[in-house]
Amino acid sequence: MKNIAYASFIALILLSGIANAQAVGKWVYLFNGKSTAQLRGYKMDGFPTEAWKVEDGALVTNPEVPNVDLVSKNTYTNFDLTFEWKVSKAGNSGVFYNVEETSAHESGNGNSPNWLDNFEMQLLDDIDFNDKEPKRSAGSLYDLIAPQHKILKPVGEYNTGRLYVNKGHVEQWLNGVKVVEYEIGSKKLNDLIAASKYKDNPKFAKATSGHLMFQHHGQRIWLKNIRVKRLS
């Protein structure tokens, strides 16, 4: 009887932990400066300790090894994500959402496995990166919408980022300014997709829920204070 009671008690604790981790309206740290317990490598069970390091309270990519992207262990549908980021000179990265981990990882090519499948908020050194197209600049909805009223800090300084997704309405914020806004499924966005590099991919942005993904593009990027709040 005692064993049954103890087992039930442990089960309740575990269930409570799951509920707290997924509670609506509560901020949860994906990275708090120390623990990487809420993150893992793309299509991996654990954290990619060679490709990413924790240094001075930040997650830092290692450009000397094949790139591995980070994904959240939990999946999200409607959420508010905030984080701080900076890149090295000519650095490139991005934040993806609704990632399903269906594409094969091609280490060493610089691109994420899902870079043609999911919406991306671009993180970039606008000055020294070789692609100067505004719709692929820092804060953009990559290859679709250029950021407006952007204030980008110099390389070496942290920017703040925010990605808000709620029932098809999406906002991207950079340093406290809303720089991109769109409605998933709208004619305006669909027309932009039809004119982009995504036009020949029938599965682009079809997923409505999935993992959050942070890109290792082969350059150095720093991420810290990554928080997410479920909206439903």
Side-chain angles (χ1 to χ4, degrees), residues 115-229:
W115 77 287
L116 285 176
D117 295 342
N118 297 96
F119 291 125
E120 174 189 359
M121 179 178 176
Q122 176 79 306
L123 311 180
L124 194 75
D125 170 12
D126 284 353
I127 303 300
D128 289 299
F129 193 74
N130 57 13
D131 188 344
K132 305 300 183 182
E133 168 56 52
K135 66 183 178 182
R136 294 190 286 272
S137 68
S140 68
L141 174 60
Y142 181 78
D143 204 50
L144 295 172
I145 303 176
Q148 302 296 316
H149 313 296
K150 176 172 66 178
I151 300 172
L152 185 65
K153 295 185 178 181
V155 166
E157 295 185 21
Y158 276 100
N159 298 274
T160 62
R162 180 188 180 197
L163 178 60
Y164 176 91
V165 179
N166 193 19
K167 299 178 181 177
H169 176 76
V170 183
E171 299 176 6
Q172 297 179 184
W173 294 66
L174 187 61
N175 293 320
V177 177
K178 182 168 61 177
V179 295
V180 168
E181 186 172 13
Y182 59 95
E183 303 291 331
I184 298 174
S186 66
K187 182 181 185 304
K188 181 178 180 180
L189 184 62
N190 288 340
D191 288 345
L192 292 174
I193 293 171
S196 74
K197 64 178 63 178
Y198 306 121
K199 63 182 182 298
D200 296 323
N201 182 4
K203 66 178 183 177
F204 174 73
K206 291 299 188 291
T208 57
S209 184
H211 301 277
L212 305 173
M213 187 169 80
F214 303 90
Q215 185 182 48
H216 183 331
H217 192 273
Q219 299 87 36
R220 198 175 296 277
I221 179 174
W222 292 257
L223 297 169
K224 65 179 184 179
N225 294 324
I226 307 173
R227 301 188 307 162
V228 64
K229 176 170 64 177

Side-chain angles (χ1 to χ4, degrees), residues 71-137:
V71 297
S72 60
K73 288 186 176 179
N74 288 323
T75 58
Y76 299 87
T77 303
N78 301 308
F79 62 89
D80 197 354
L81 173 72
T82 66
F83 55 96
E84 295 178 52
W85 67 275
K86 65 179 181 178
V87 293
S88 59
K89 184 176 180 178
N92 183 340
S93 183
V95 180
F96 299 73
Y97 64 99
N98 294 346
V99 173
E100 294 187 322
E101 294 182 290
T102 55
S103 298
H105 193 105
E106 300 177 42
S107 293
N109 72 350
N111 288 322
S112 300
N114 283 43
W115 77 287
L116 285 176
D117 295 342
N118 297 96
F119 291 125
E120 174 189 359
M121 179 178 176
Q122 176 79 306
L123 311 180
L124 194 75
D125 170 12
D126 284 353
I127 303 300
D128 289 299
F129 193 74
N130 57 13
D131 188 344
K132 305 300 183 182
E133 168 56 52
K135 66 183 178 182
R136 294 190 286 272
S137 68

